[in-house]
Amino acid sequence: MTDPRLLEHARQARRHYELPSYQAYLRRLGTTMEAHLHEVVAAAGIPDNQSEVEWRVKAPESFAQKAALPAPDDPSRPQYRYPTDEITDQLALRIIAFLPAQVEAAAQALAEDDALVVREVRHKGSQNTDTRAFGYQSVHVLVDPAPALGAPHPPKDFRVPRIEIQLRTQLQHVWAELEHASRYKGAAGSRVSRKFDRAAALIEMVDELLQEIDDAAAGGARPDLTRQGPAAPSSLEAPAERPGSRLTARAMRSFLAEAFPDAPPSRGAGSEEWIRRHALESGFDTVEALRDAVRTVDLAAVDRTFREGVTWERNQVRCLDDALLAVGGADYIATAERLAGDEPEAQRQKRVRVLGWRLARLRENGVAR
């Protein structure tokens, strides 16, 4: 049973949220964002007839349910002390595209857009649990409008809310909508859930096949690896993407799993995008270029260097960060400092000091020059 104090907190938050001036503002902001996302889709090179942009303002009853949630560490306190300031999906938009590569292109266009500030990227379903290997798939991007957007100003006593943008393929969207509807109709028992899992697995496979068909039609079919001659043993021999392909978010996830199969994936939702930016800024803008660079590093020696005496987890992103540091040396540290330009000075300098210490350790062990 929900704590009565939380219910009262939610009722007050709902009254504040339902004020006509704020609801009208959210609709104006939604219209502005919809028009802008059409420009983002065009900038990503996605044809108009292969994409859709949708948006909605969160229903008051749904907002109140979220406002009534207890804090994870203290059930007597609300999770959202100031719900209209803190709940991030009051205004939510979707970009729905035909192909996985188009979803990635849209995500990249959002990351590079001057009118939006990306605060968090969540790859929903990319790291499913063992008990539910397939399910909801979507990329959720949380953004703040920048001045360049020209967004309307909120009413007095309100702030500009953080906005959620969902990126999906058409097949992922159909699955998610049907799953959502069945859950609220009470039909999502174990038998139905298993059927949804099977459908999700098929959708993932069909999305991949459609992407390969589109790649082949565009003249970018994957090479026949069975015709390749013998090569030196390496954990990086099987391409994550076709040679010369762009280092997209999807390609980076594949590369990390391929290059560091014994390391756990990163727990942070934005870590893969973070290391991808570092790789791109270091001049590795294709999978092939990144693979060739990492092949020059003795990965086993790097792992031995940092396996003892460190407190951080040796996950896939950290392993690649160390490999790029071994390749780039001081230049990589300068790149990392530049990319941390928006962070507080103390945090930026800490990153530089840690990288300097790690580079010295690599040099001591003969892994880096």
Side-chain angles (χ1 to χ4, degrees), residues 198-235:
R198 290 170 56 195
L202 291 171
I203 284 171
E204 187 171 322
M205 181 179 68
V206 172
D207 267 341
E208 292 289 338
L209 288 173
L210 290 174
Q211 185 62 65
E212 291 178 9
I213 291 169
D214 188 71
D215 289 345
R222 297 170 186 262
D224 184 355
L225 300 178
T226 61
R227 298 180 184 177
Q228 294 180 354
S234 169
S235 63

Side-chain angles (χ1 to χ4, degrees), residues 37 40-41 46 52-53 93-97 99-100 102-111 121-124 136-142 164-170 172-173:
L37 288 191
V40 170
V41 167
I46 304 173
E52 301 174 38
V53 176
L93 296 98
R94 289 195 191 107
I95 297 175
I96 305 167
L99 300 168
Q102 293 173 336
V103 169
E104 293 162 9
Q108 182 62 27
L110 285 173
V121 180
R122 303 171 182 166
H123 293 276
K124 299 285 188 176
Y136 179 74
Q137 296 281 336
S138 184
V139 179
H140 289 202
V141 184
L142 298 181
E164 179 180 275
I165 304 172
Q166 299 175 2
L167 310 175
R168 301 173 179 167
T169 66
Q170 290 276 4
Q172 290 169 350
H173 179 63

Side-chain angles (χ1 to χ4, degrees), residues 13-289:
R14 177 171 178 169
R15 284 198 294 270
H16 192 56
Y17 178 72
E18 283 185 308
L19 286 175
S21 60
Y22 188 58
Q23 289 293 306
Y25 162 72
L26 289 176
R27 290 192 293 271
R28 290 197 304 273
L29 182 58
T31 301
T32 301
M33 283 292 301
E34 179 186 22
H36 183 70
L37 288 191
H38 280 293
E39 296 176 2
V40 170
V41 167
I46 304 173
D48 286 342
N49 63 350
Q50 294 185 18
S51 64
E52 301 174 38
V53 176
E54 301 178 347
W55 65 277
R56 63 102 179 110
V57 173
K58 195 172 189 66
E61 55 271 20
S62 179
F63 178 85
Q65 289 174 3
K66 209 160 190 177
L69 292 175
D73 58 343
D74 184 356
S76 67
R77 294 189 299 104
Q79 180 173 341
Y80 303 102
R81 185 177 179 184
Y82 304 105
T84 54
D85 292 346
E86 299 170 19
I87 292 178
T88 58
D89 62 344
Q90 298 170 61
L91 176 62
L93 296 98
R94 289 195 191 107
I95 297 175
I96 305 167
F98 277 13
L99 300 168
Q102 293 173 336
V103 169
E104 293 162 9
Q108 182 62 27
L110 285 173
E112 298 171 353
D113 185 35
D114 293 336
L116 300 173
V117 179
V118 175
R119 297 302 186 188
E120 187 176 353
V121 180
R122 303 171 182 166
H123 293 276
K124 299 285 188 176
S126 62
Q127 297 177 6
N128 293 304
T129 64
D130 293 337
T131 57
R132 188 176 178 84
F134 296 96
Y136 179 74
Q137 296 281 336
S138 184
V139 179
H140 289 202
V141 184
L142 298 181
V143 303
D144 290 334
L149 180 66
H153 295 290
K156 183 181 178 182
D157 298 328
F158 286 93
R159 297 181 182 178
V160 178
R162 187 154 291 177
I163 298 169
E164 179 180 275
I165 304 172
Q166 299 175 2
L167 310 175
R168 301 173 179 167
T169 66
Q170 290 276 4
L171 293 176
Q172 290 169 350
H173 179 63
V174 170
W175 185 96
E177 292 299 294
L178 288 175
E179 196 267 350
H180 180 80
S182 72
R183 184 170 67 246
Y184 281 94
K185 289 177 182 177
S190 59
R191 188 176 176 187
V192 172
S193 293
R194 285 195 298 271
K195 290 181 182 294
F196 271 115
D197 290 346
R198 290 170 56 195
L202 291 171
I203 284 171
E204 187 171 322
M205 181 179 68
V206 172
D207 267 341
E208 292 289 338
L209 288 173
L210 290 174
Q211 185 62 65
E212 291 178 9
I213 291 169
D214 188 71
D215 289 345
R222 297 170 186 262
D224 184 355
L225 300 178
T226 61
R227 298 180 184 177
Q228 294 180 354
S234 169
S235 63
L236 301 177
E237 288 303 322
E241 294 284 326
R242 63 185 182 277
S245 60
R246 292 181 305 110
L247 188 62
T248 62
R250 178 165 163 257
M252 176 56 82
R253 289 196 297 276
S254 297
F255 177 81
L256 287 168
E258 166 201 309
F260 309 104
D262 296 328
S266 173
R267 298 175 185 175
S271 295
E272 290 169 355
E273 179 59 24
W274 173 86
I275 195 63
R276 189 174 78 90
R277 288 180 60 215
H278 280 62
L280 291 172
E281 287 294 322
S282 298
F284 308 117
D285 56 356
T286 67
V287 176
E288 184 182 43

